[in-house]
Amino acid sequence: MAASSLSSAHAVLGLLGLGAALLVPGRANADIYTYTDAQGNVHVTSQPVRGGKSGGKMDRITSGDGTKSRKKAAQLFTVSMPSDRSPERFGRYDSWIREGARLYRLPEELIRAIIKCESDFDPRAVSPTGAQGLMQLMPATALRMQVRDAFDPRENILGGSRYLRVLANMFNGDLELTVAGYNAGENAVMKYQGIPPYEETQGYVGCVVGHYRAFKALDGEGLRSAR
């Protein structure tokens, strides 16, 4: 992706960081566990639960930096690709998008662009790597962002928005790096000191920034019909 094609996107979030400067990810280096209870429900926790209490097998899906979570989660969750095609879905979550933008001082259009590229506004979507819901939160990220139910639209949007704010603070408001971190993880962005050289991540940055610009150019009614 050519840097010049996104140059106007730099520092979009830069002036928004002061109000949330103390927001940092909690327990970023904690182990993350999952277990399946007697009813077959998958739970994610930072505390190991004894088999007798959980009624099922406990599995550690990340150790410290989260590098194992994608592979492990892929083995635990059933893939569900976006399937909701109703035009109404584009305006269905407006109030929670506004709430997330207000709480974490983010542009509404950025949250909306992330949702568009991640799940196409389908709250039941599950990726092959186990990312869940509207903003496709990995189980470890959802736990860090205090999300109890990633399939609850409001919880998912607020958790995803909180993570965006953490990333925006970390990368000094640089929009491209914030978006790249959301896809590849903050460690990958820091390792490469820029957008990681992953085809998926580079395409993702283009998708989000492109929709971000398009949403900013539309009025409220236009957002509802954007595809």
Side-chain angles (χ1 to χ4, degrees), residues 75-222:
Q75 299 169 356
L76 292 167
F77 296 98
T78 302
V79 175
S80 177
M81 301 306 290
S83 59
D84 186 353
R85 292 293 179 262
S86 61
E88 293 81 9
R89 74 188 188 279
F90 295 113
R92 192 173 292 152
Y93 311 106
D94 285 357
S95 62
W96 298 322
I97 291 173
R98 285 193 294 269
E99 183 179 0
R102 183 180 69 254
L103 280 174
Y104 299 115
R105 302 188 67 182
L106 297 166
E108 291 181 30
E109 296 87 356
L110 175 59
I111 300 172
R112 191 177 298 276
I114 293 284
I115 295 173
K116 173 65 180 175
C117 293
E118 289 283 2
S119 69
D120 201 23
F121 291 81
D122 188 338
R124 305 304 300 178
V126 180
S127 79
T129 58
Q132 300 172 321
L134 287 168
M135 298 186 74
Q136 290 289 277
L137 299 177
M138 290 296 293
T141 302
L143 188 62
R144 286 170 58 194
M145 298 299 114
Q146 303 175 7
V147 174
R148 294 170 298 178
D149 181 1
F151 294 113
D152 179 277
R154 180 176 180 270
E155 281 199 56
N156 191 287
I157 289 171
L158 294 185
S161 298
R162 186 172 191 258
Y163 187 41
L164 281 173
R165 170 43 60 195
V166 168
L167 294 168
N169 289 352
M170 186 177 297
F171 299 121
N172 299 314
D174 187 298
L175 178 62
E176 296 173 31
L177 297 186
T178 297
V179 172
Y182 194 92
N183 176 261
E186 56 263 40
N187 290 337
V189 175
M190 290 187 287
K191 175 182 177 179
Y192 291 103
Q193 299 183 355
I195 299 174
Y198 310 149
E199 183 177 354
E200 175 190 331
T201 300
Q202 293 180 356
Y204 180 80
V205 172
C207 177
V208 171
V209 174
H211 279 100
Y212 170 74
R213 289 173 171 169
F215 288 148
K216 284 186 71 67
L218 294 171
D219 58 19
E221 291 303 314

Side-chain angles (χ1 to χ4, degrees), residues 32 61-63 66-74 129 138-140:
I32 306 298
I61 64 171
T62 179
S63 55
T67 54
K68 297 181 181 179
S69 63
R70 289 180 180 267
K71 181 177 179 180
K72 288 286 187 177
T129 58
M138 290 296 293

